[in-house]
Amino acid sequence: MSKLQDDLLQDFKEQKNVIYKQLEVFDPLGTLLSKPAAQRLVNKTVLIITEIVCYLLSAGSIAFAVFMNKIYPFYILNDLQNRPEYLKLGWMDIRIFVICVYALLGIIALLFYGLARAMRQIRLKNNILSFAAKNIKTLVSQHLKRKASIDVIEQRHFLELPDLPYENVRVNQVPNPGYEPGV
């Protein structure tokens, strides 16, 4: 058999091994990433709605802080600062209390904004995972077709394909051409 045939047979067997190894990796990955389209759409819709609601709550917290003096129970904060009868409670204590209420509203607005950004990042990552799942499915199907064609070639030419001389052979089993027993 010629060197070219040996090289082609070796390449054929390497391709077969590579395909089998890649299928071992990609097939479970494709299975794990595959989700029904309806479930992915529901998740995406929930994430979009949650993101919008969080942005609105963040903006609402800021608007609430601006208009708090005109809203029923919170107008008392303005009265606490401006009416002389409440000054005996301590001007500095009242001022610190009002500042704390505004700071709390600012923190709430920042937290809702951060939550909205996190929902956006999750949604974008889910889009990437969906894209990867689609491409991995394509890749797995191509590998399965290649595996099937390799198996067909191997079955068709089973008797004609010789074993390579040193495939799955241990070091001590390789004949030494320089050694002649009995000499």
Side-chain angles (χ1 to χ4, degrees):
M1 199 151 66
S2 74
K3 182 73 172 153
L4 175 63
Q5 288 175 329
D6 287 343
D7 289 343
L8 289 174
L9 284 173
Q10 184 66 32
D11 182 54
F12 177 76
K13 291 192 179 200
E14 285 177 14
Q15 283 184 23
K16 178 182 172 185
N17 289 335
V18 167
I19 291 293
Y20 277 87
K21 286 178 184 176
Q22 286 180 348
L23 280 174
E24 287 175 9
V25 172
F26 289 141
D27 196 31
L29 186 61
T31 304
L32 288 174
L33 286 174
S34 66
K35 268 203 280 190
Q39 186 179 3
R40 202 170 29 250
L41 181 64
V42 168
N43 286 343
K44 188 173 184 177
T45 304
V46 168
L47 287 173
I48 289 172
I49 290 172
T50 306
E51 180 183 348
I52 291 170
V53 167
C54 287
Y55 280 130
L56 289 175
L57 287 172
S58 177
S61 297
I62 294 170
F64 179 70
V66 170
F67 295 110
M68 188 166 55
N69 293 332
K70 295 174 179 47
I71 298 175
Y72 166 63
F74 298 101
Y75 72 88
I76 294 173
L77 291 175
N78 193 27
D79 286 349
L80 282 174
Q81 288 182 26
N82 298 329
R83 289 199 177 169
E85 58 262 18
Y86 296 122
L87 287 180
K88 62 184 170 195
L89 295 173
W91 179 83
M92 193 57 129
D93 290 338
I94 293 172
R95 190 73 181 145
I96 289 174
F97 177 69
V98 171
I99 289 172
C100 288
V101 169
Y102 280 107
L104 184 65
L105 285 173
I107 290 171
I108 289 172
L110 285 175
L111 289 175
F112 276 126
Y113 182 76
L115 188 60
R117 295 296 295 176
M119 290 296 145
R120 181 178 185 276
Q121 292 298 323
I122 291 170
R123 185 173 49 85
L124 293 176
K125 286 179 183 176
N126 284 350
N127 287 343
I128 291 169
L129 285 174
S130 173
F131 179 74
K134 183 178 75 170
N135 287 335
I136 284 179
K137 284 180 190 177
T138 304
L139 192 62
V140 167
S141 70
Q142 290 171 351
H143 275 58
L144 286 173
K145 287 176 187 175
R146 180 67 182 141
K147 177 185 174 243
S149 67
I150 286 173
D151 289 343
V152 166
I153 290 170
E154 197 171 43
Q155 289 172 2
R156 185 180 309 148
H157 301 289
F158 178 71
L159 296 175
E160 296 173 19
L161 289 177
D163 288 331
L164 291 176
Y166 302 115
E167 183 180 323
N168 298 327
V169 177
R170 302 180 90 154
V171 172
N172 293 333
Q173 296 172 338
V174 176
N176 185 350
Y179 173 73
E180 295 179 13
V183 176

